[in-house]
Amino acid sequence: MREPKVYPSGDQALTLQFGNAVDPVINDQVRALAEAITHKEIPGVLELVPTFCSLTVYYDPLTIKYGSLAMEIRRLAAQAETAEEKSGRLLKIPCCYGARFGPDLADMEKHTGLDRDEIIAIHSSTDYKVYMLGFLPGFVYLGGLDPRLHIPRLSVPRLKIPKGAVGIGGSQTGVYPLDSPGGWRLIGGTPVDFYDPGRSEPVLCRPGDYIRFVPVTILDYYDIRQMILRGTYKIDITERGSQA
């Protein structure tokens, strides 16, 4: 693992910077170090916040000093092994493309030169890596979007995007876990809750997971939603690479 740059972020946090690019190798290093710190259970460490290419560590300065924590983390970084690219859970997420959920598919066709079926086939053929969570509880920043589907965000963001909307913004795709404003192009929707405060694990995904969108009809969407509300629906989750 490359040695990260370490610098203070206020008086109760430090940040480790591995680079400045959205890159799977760099992100694997961030995740590997976060796992190593978690496993070490360093006294005084309160919270870890991984991003695309950095890791912020919040700590109690009355328990551990900045210099001691930075030294310990540098030691862990030198020893940590980067996670294998094919590791991680694979969550198969149903997605109803178009219909009432994908108002921007027509613009996508004009911008990309692809027809609706081609866009859906391309978008649903990739295992997207969860690089980080942010913006909203459970909002996943996914890597791996086919360059043919890259499209600028809306020039004027919508005031309200519905929970479960699947969108594309620039070179990324993602799912809105809650109703919120947003500027991503909407191509579909999922009935799956990416954030549910009533669950034992409110946030569905973790950094390092992978998501594959599975096209479903609008009737399938509502059937699955009813099963979710009844508590009878189970997401298809496997270890990536164990099944096609």
Side-chain angles (χ1 to χ4, degrees), residues 1-242:
M1 176 183 291
R2 63 186 294 179
E3 182 177 352
K5 296 179 180 178
V6 184
Y7 54 88
S9 297
D11 59 0
Q12 298 183 36
L14 61 79
T15 295
L16 301 106
Q17 188 76 38
F18 286 86
N20 295 301
V22 179
D23 178 88
V25 174
I26 292 176
N27 188 253
D28 283 344
Q29 292 173 344
V30 171
R31 184 162 57 93
L33 182 55
E35 291 175 356
I37 295 172
T38 299
H39 181 73
K40 183 66 175 178
E41 296 183 344
I42 303 171
V45 170
L46 304 176
E47 184 180 5
L48 305 178
V49 181
T51 68
F52 287 114
C53 51
S54 69
L55 175 66
T56 296
V57 181
Y58 289 89
Y59 65 93
D60 179 1
L62 299 179
T63 303
I64 188 169
K65 301 302 182 185
Y66 171 86
S68 298
L69 179 58
M71 184 181 301
E72 177 65 10
I73 291 178
R74 283 194 179 97
R75 187 184 67 80
L76 289 174
Q79 298 175 351
E81 296 182 2
T82 302
E84 292 292 331
E85 175 63 19
K86 291 187 178 181
S87 65
R89 302 184 306 168
L90 172 62
L91 291 77
K92 296 180 181 178
I93 301 297
C95 177
C96 179
Y97 290 93
R100 56 172 292 199
F101 307 108
D104 294 319
L105 263 181
D107 283 343
M108 287 284 297
E109 289 179 310
K110 294 177 183 177
H111 181 85
T112 64
L114 302 167
D115 65 34
R116 167 197 172 98
D117 290 339
E118 290 174 315
I119 292 170
I120 294 172
I122 293 169
H123 189 263
S124 61
S125 65
T126 298
D127 291 351
Y128 297 101
K129 182 178 180 179
V130 179
Y131 275 92
M132 59 176 282
L133 303 171
F135 171 54
L136 294 168
F139 188 96
V140 288
Y141 286 90
L142 304 176
L145 182 66
D146 191 298
R148 290 174 291 176
L149 299 185
H150 292 186
I151 185 170
R153 292 167 173 78
L154 295 171
S155 57
V156 179
R158 290 183 171 92
L159 295 179
K160 184 178 180 181
I161 289 179
K163 167 186 172 181
V166 176
I168 291 175
S171 62
Q172 291 189 287
T173 187
V175 180
Y176 284 82
L178 299 169
D179 293 349
S180 76
W184 289 27
R185 311 272 182 159
L186 305 184
I187 61 171
T190 178
V192 172
D193 295 317
F194 273 62
Y195 174 70
D196 179 356
R199 287 192 305 237
S200 57
E201 292 188 32
V203 175
L204 178 65
C205 300
R206 302 187 291 258
D209 285 344
Y210 289 80
I211 288 175
R212 183 187 304 166
F213 293 102
V214 179
V216 297
T217 67
I218 192 166
L219 293 179
D220 291 334
Y221 175 100
Y222 288 116
D223 285 344
I224 292 171
R225 188 62 196 161
Q226 287 302 311
M227 286 189 284
I228 290 172
L229 294 175
R230 292 194 299 266
T232 59
Y233 182 77
K234 292 189 180 298
I235 299 171
D236 185 349
I237 302 177
T238 61
E239 287 299 314
R240 188 170 183 262
S242 62

